[in-house]
Amino acid sequence: MKTTFSTTLLWLLSVSSSSAFQPSPSAIRRPLTASRHLSPPTPTRLWATNNEEEDCATIQILMSDTGGGHRASANALRDAFAVLHETEPSLYPLPIHCDIVDIYTDYGPFWPVNAYVPLYKFMAEYSFLWKWFYEFGATPLGLWMNDFLLEVFCFEPFERCLARDPFGEEGRSDGKRRADMVVSVHPLCQDLPLKILASLDTGGVSRREGRTTPFATVVTDLGGAHPTWFNKGVDKCFVPSAVLKNAALDRGVQEHQIVQYGLPIRRGFWRFGADYSKAPDAQNEQQEMEGVHHKPTIREQLGLLDLPTVLIVGGGDGMGGIVNQATAIGQKLQSLAASSSSNEPKYQMVVVCGNNKAAQSSLSPPQTVWGANVAVNVMGFVNNMDEYMRASDILVTKAGPGTIAEASICGLPCILSSFLPGQEEGNVPYVEENGFGCYRGTPEGIAETVEEWLAASSVTTEGTVLETMRECALSAARPDATLDIARDLADMVYKRREQLNKSVRKQEVATAA
């Protein structure tokens, strides 16, 4: 999952420019809801006066839209809380309202803090810039400078965020209620929010001690992660892999604080009990209600042919050289099918361009005419990626952690086409060592690997290459991770509410006496 690290030089540029200190419009619009110099809050200050809202626990989720993964993870947790409340009401009787905030865009006081999203997109296009900033940001000097500058310039505007009413701008902004718990799904949302919560919980007495509001980090990277993900002051740190558990331990996070489940992913990839391989008539009624994952059935529902299918994904932003990849693969599939005497399609290619409208136009007729033996479907942004993954046999994608985790759940072998240096680099060995994919850095290499995997001669003693990789992918899959994380977070926020209830009752008794 993607983010912009070590903006140290950008910080220095902004400090030297008078225009850099102009607050963002969104920061100007938001009223001040709390001050560092408040007296220590009484328990009643965290409660709403509206009965409907009192029956709802609240969690503020901090993120930044530097790539689609952070918001997708936040949305996945929000959906998981709702599902737990609906399906297991005896264990999770209290609804959980999520206040999802892009804290840097909405509360960043000046450039570059309020421009992390466009800066990320720029540096992702020029990976050498990303590599330089990422690696410098991981050094002791880079970490210290980032921490220092954020606290100096962003403490007050970010404090407004953490003290805000969790029901949003339409709700109250009088500081009488803030979230019962805070969760971070972004690497730059640990250090400063922890200091702010300590200040809010102690009425401005301390930024280092006295925090009572629960705080958890949900790491949304997979095979490697920046050091800013890990802060030993958190209550819980959820990690998706053993590699990141070790990274957390190296940063001083204790064993009892770390929980390893997997990545939080979109609801369509959760396991609800349906068998992914059996035909619909072989599933029981409950499984059919929860989701049918029979590949020919899904292909029919999507309007696809029941053929060996290659899925090429450019991500929500359409990055990754998708035009050249699709062209090379299409030509290779046409060549592979040339031996067939039939003019009917023998292979199928699905290209999801995301928001890259230029790529979608370039790959569509009349600009590109594909051969008769290959059925090609070119699309823009889709919201049912789980169905397209389950309909496919091979996935070509950049090494984004969320996509890799989703592919493993679908038993889908992966060809990784690119990665962001540092952050996504560790995802390549994760896929290769788990046996369900490889990295190929050129369109030609990708096309040749597709040909090799689809060729009838690619057979091992255990079956075809694709069958073997499918089994490896399913072994690495963590389809229950999102609900498992949500359960633990729900338990934490419920415990917090019970503590507050006890404090309120104790205070009422003391007042009555």
Side-chain angles (χ1 to χ4, degrees):
M1 308 242 168
K2 301 170 277 289
T3 184
T4 305
F5 292 106
S6 180
T7 56
T8 303
L9 290 185
L10 296 176
W11 271 106
L12 296 177
L13 286 172
S14 68
V15 170
S16 65
S17 169
S18 60
S19 62
F21 289 93
Q22 297 302 313
S24 65
S26 58
I28 294 174
R29 288 196 302 269
R30 297 182 184 277
L32 182 65
T33 59
S35 167
R36 297 198 309 277
H37 308 293
L38 293 174
S39 58
T42 58
T44 54
R45 295 188 59 212
L46 294 175
W47 299 87
T49 57
N50 181 282
N51 289 333
E52 181 179 353
E53 294 179 8
E54 284 184 353
D55 293 333
C56 180
T58 56
I59 295 179
Q60 186 175 72
I61 302 181
L62 304 178
M63 47 75 68
S64 179
D65 276 313
T66 46
H70 301 295
R71 185 172 292 277
S73 296
N75 290 341
L77 292 174
R78 176 201 61 199
D79 294 343
F81 292 135
V83 167
L84 291 177
H85 176 62
E86 294 169 3
T87 60
E88 303 177 45
S90 61
L91 295 176
Y92 304 99
L94 197 64
I96 295 178
H97 171 77
C98 291
D99 178 24
I100 300 174
V101 190
D102 183 338
I103 190 170
Y104 285 91
T105 299
D106 291 347
Y107 288 89
F110 51 75
W111 188 93
V113 187
N114 58 14
Y116 276 4
V117 175
L119 285 172
Y120 159 74
K121 293 180 180 180
F122 176 78
M123 286 196 288
E125 289 291 332
Y126 300 93
S127 58
F128 68 93
L129 287 175
W130 177 274
K131 179 179 176 66
W132 194 91
F133 278 95
Y134 185 96
E135 292 180 350
F136 179 77
T139 64
L141 176 61
L143 290 167
W144 177 84
M145 292 186 71
N146 186 70
D147 186 28
F148 173 77
L149 292 168
L150 281 176
E151 184 168 3
V152 169
F153 295 110
C154 295
F155 192 98
E156 290 190 15
F158 283 16
E159 185 183 49
R160 291 197 296 270
C161 175
L162 272 76
R164 86 181 203 174
D165 188 303
F167 288 90
E169 293 183 354
E170 292 75 18
R172 291 176 308 281
S173 297
D174 54 12
K176 291 185 177 179
R177 178 183 172 110
R178 55 187 172 92
D180 299 313
M181 179 178 178
V182 178
V183 174
S184 165
V185 293
H186 192 280
L188 293 184
C189 292
Q190 272 67 237
D191 294 354
L192 186 56
L194 283 168
K195 293 173 184 176
I196 292 172
L197 288 177
S199 178
L200 288 172
D201 289 340
T202 63
V205 173
S206 174
R207 297 185 181 184
R208 300 295 187 269
E209 299 177 351
R211 176 179 61 83
T212 57
T213 303
F215 186 100
T217 296
V218 179
V219 181
T220 56
D221 281 322
L222 185 59
H226 199 270
T228 49
W229 270 115
F230 308 111
N231 187 300
K232 59 185 179 181
V234 303
D235 296 297
K236 290 294 179 182
C237 180
F238 295 89
V239 297
S241 65
V243 173
L244 296 197
K245 179 179 180 180
N246 291 332
L249 291 170
D250 290 342
R251 291 285 293 169
V253 184
Q254 299 299 306
E255 183 86 30
H256 71 273
Q257 297 172 284
I258 304 171
V259 183
Q260 182 181 333
Y261 286 136
L263 280 176
I265 51 175
R266 290 171 286 187
R267 181 172 179 173
F269 295 93
W270 302 350
R271 176 166 56 193
F272 288 101
D275 190 318
Y276 294 173
S277 59
K278 294 180 180 179
D281 56 3
Q283 301 179 24
N284 61 39
E285 182 179 353
Q286 182 64 28
Q287 288 175 329
E288 290 182 14
M289 291 174 62
E290 292 173 336
V292 175
H293 303 298
H294 183 235
K295 187 172 291 187
T297 302
I298 296 177
R299 287 172 176 169
E300 181 181 1
Q301 292 172 345
L302 293 174
L304 302 176
L305 301 176
D306 190 16
L307 296 170
T309 302
V310 180
L311 174 62
I312 308 172
V313 176
D317 297 320
M319 300 177 181
I322 195 170
V323 173
N324 292 336
Q325 294 167 16
T327 301
I329 294 171
Q331 292 173 350
K332 187 65 69 174
L333 292 177
Q334 184 63 32
S335 174
L336 190 62
S339 58
S340 174
S341 58
S342 172
N343 287 328
E344 296 295 323
K346 189 174 180 180
Y347 297 101
Q348 185 167 235
M349 185 168 68
V350 178
V351 187
V352 179
C353 300
N355 294 319
N356 191 336
K357 297 186 182 301
Q360 183 180 2
S361 176
S362 176
L363 293 171
S364 301
Q367 293 194 47
T368 299
V369 179
W370 303 94
N373 294 124
V374 181
V376 179
N377 297 265
V378 181
M379 292 167 290
F381 184 86
V382 300
N383 57 13
N384 57 339
M385 186 59 71
D386 58 308
E387 295 178 346
Y388 280 102
M389 283 193 180
R390 291 191 171 105
S392 302
D393 299 288
I394 298 173
L395 172 67
V396 178
T397 178
K398 71 186 298 290
T403 304
I404 291 171
E406 293 167 352
S408 68
I409 290 171
C410 297
L412 183 57
C414 300
I415 301 175
L416 305 179
S417 59
S418 62
F419 58 84
L420 285 175
Q423 181 182 348
E424 294 178 345
E425 194 168 349
N427 297 338
V428 174
Y430 178 88
V431 169
E432 293 177 339
E433 291 169 7
N434 280 285
F436 65 98
C438 65
Y439 171 75
R440 297 291 183 266
T442 66
E444 294 74 21
I446 294 170
E448 290 172 1
T449 302
V450 168
E451 180 184 36
E452 175 188 340
W453 288 0
L454 290 175
S457 59
S458 297
V459 180
T460 68
T461 57
E462 299 177 356
T464 67
V465 169
L466 289 177
E467 288 172 353
T468 301
M469 286 193 291
R470 178 182 180 277
E471 293 301 320
C472 290
L474 291 174
S475 296
R478 299 292 181 267
D480 301 318
T482 310
L483 290 171
D484 287 340
I485 295 170
R487 286 188 179 94
D488 283 8
L489 294 175
D491 290 341
M492 293 173 68
V493 76
Y494 281 12
K495 182 178 179 181
R496 171 61 169 167
R497 292 294 297 249
E498 181 59 28
Q499 290 172 343
L500 290 172
N501 275 330
K502 290 180 179 179
S503 297
V504 170
R505 289 193 293 267
K506 183 177 180 180
Q507 186 181 59
E508 290 174 347
V509 170
T511 302

